[in-house]
Amino acid sequence: MKELADNEIIESVRKGNQSDFEILVDRYKNRAFSLLCNMLKDSMEAEEVLQDAFLKAYYGLKNFKYEAKFSTWFYRIVYNAALTRLSAKKRKIEREMISIDDELELADEFTTVASEKNDLSEFIAGVISKLPENYASVLTMFYLDGMSCEEISEVTGRSFSNVKVLLYRSRNALKDIVMKNNLKLEF
């Protein structure tokens, strides 16, 4: 059986086959949830925001113009929903440097985590989750979701060059955490 393209599913939903939207939900829920967890640092909140994002996407399908891929359009909704949640809670962006106390906690935590996990992507996702949400979101979209800088630019509303700079800084922050804490995977 041929897998339906996103545009075919959207047209089907627009024609009244509301249950077909579930195909899009199944297709994008895991990656969107991962992005939200890294931005919000709370899986319960991430679930709530994800549900809201899917509702916004469902009701917004009538206005979808096919100017971008559905995935990019949907990630824009997810990203904006996370930013809205963060601002509603009046959270400040996490500081760029991790204090010495936090570094010691991270070293203990990741030594345990790394020795218990065999999956490199889970380990990396755990380290990424310790970064400020703007860094975590860019690294998640680029490395874990395989999005290009152009797609990240569309999702975040940042310029292409700003995304590249943010990606560079995110990589350095991730490298600093790994190096400062001597994090190693033990298989």
Side-chain angles (χ1 to χ4, degrees):
M1 182 177 187
K2 178 186 153 204
E3 185 175 305
L4 294 173
D6 291 347
N7 292 347
E8 293 172 317
I9 298 167
I10 292 167
E11 284 305 311
S12 177
V13 172
R14 283 179 169 177
K15 291 178 183 174
N17 299 319
Q18 298 169 344
S19 62
D20 285 352
F21 188 72
E22 188 175 327
I23 298 169
L24 294 174
V25 170
D26 288 339
R27 193 171 285 174
Y28 295 104
K29 67 182 175 186
N30 292 334
R31 291 187 294 177
F33 181 72
S34 175
L35 173 63
L36 289 168
C37 283
N38 284 323
M39 290 182 73
L40 301 174
K41 315 287 189 223
D42 182 333
S43 62
M44 295 294 282
E45 259 190 305
E47 285 181 31
E48 289 177 27
V49 172
L50 183 59
Q51 288 176 1
D52 291 342
F54 274 119
L55 282 173
K56 286 179 186 174
Y58 177 78
Y59 290 113
L61 279 182
K62 63 182 176 258
N63 299 321
F64 182 68
K65 296 183 174 95
Y66 303 100
E67 293 170 355
K69 295 190 304 187
F70 173 80
S71 60
T72 303
W73 179 77
F74 177 65
Y75 279 122
R76 176 80 179 190
I77 292 171
V78 170
Y79 182 80
N80 285 336
L83 291 179
T84 299
R85 178 61 64 102
L86 289 171
S87 67
K89 290 174 65 177
K90 295 181 182 175
R91 288 176 53 178
K92 293 181 181 176
I93 296 178
E94 295 178 16
R95 45 184 194 214
E96 305 228 352
M97 300 299 290
I98 298 172
S99 70
I100 294 173
D101 292 338
D102 289 341
E103 287 178 16
L104 294 174
E105 287 177 26
L106 275 175
D108 291 341
E109 179 181 338
F110 283 115
T111 301
T112 303
V113 170
S115 64
E116 292 175 357
K117 293 186 180 180
N118 291 330
D119 186 357
L120 180 61
S121 65
E122 286 181 37
F123 174 73
I124 291 172
V127 176
I128 288 173
S129 72
K130 299 300 179 187
L131 293 170
E133 50 274 328
N134 59 338
Y135 288 179
S137 63
V138 169
L139 287 173
T140 299
M141 287 186 269
F142 189 79
Y143 288 108
L144 301 180
D145 295 337
M147 295 175 77
S148 68
C149 288
E150 293 88 4
E151 291 172 317
I152 295 170
S153 175
E154 288 181 47
V155 168
T156 62
R158 298 175 184 266
S159 69
F160 176 78
S161 58
N162 188 271
V163 168
K164 288 178 74 172
V165 168
L166 191 57
L167 186 59
Y168 175 79
R169 290 180 181 164
S170 301
R171 287 177 184 140
N172 284 339
L174 182 65
K175 181 177 133 186
D176 287 346
I177 289 174
V178 170
M179 291 182 74
K180 286 179 183 177
N181 296 290
N182 286 329
L183 301 179
K184 295 177 183 166
L185 282 175
E186 298 174 14
F187 292 100

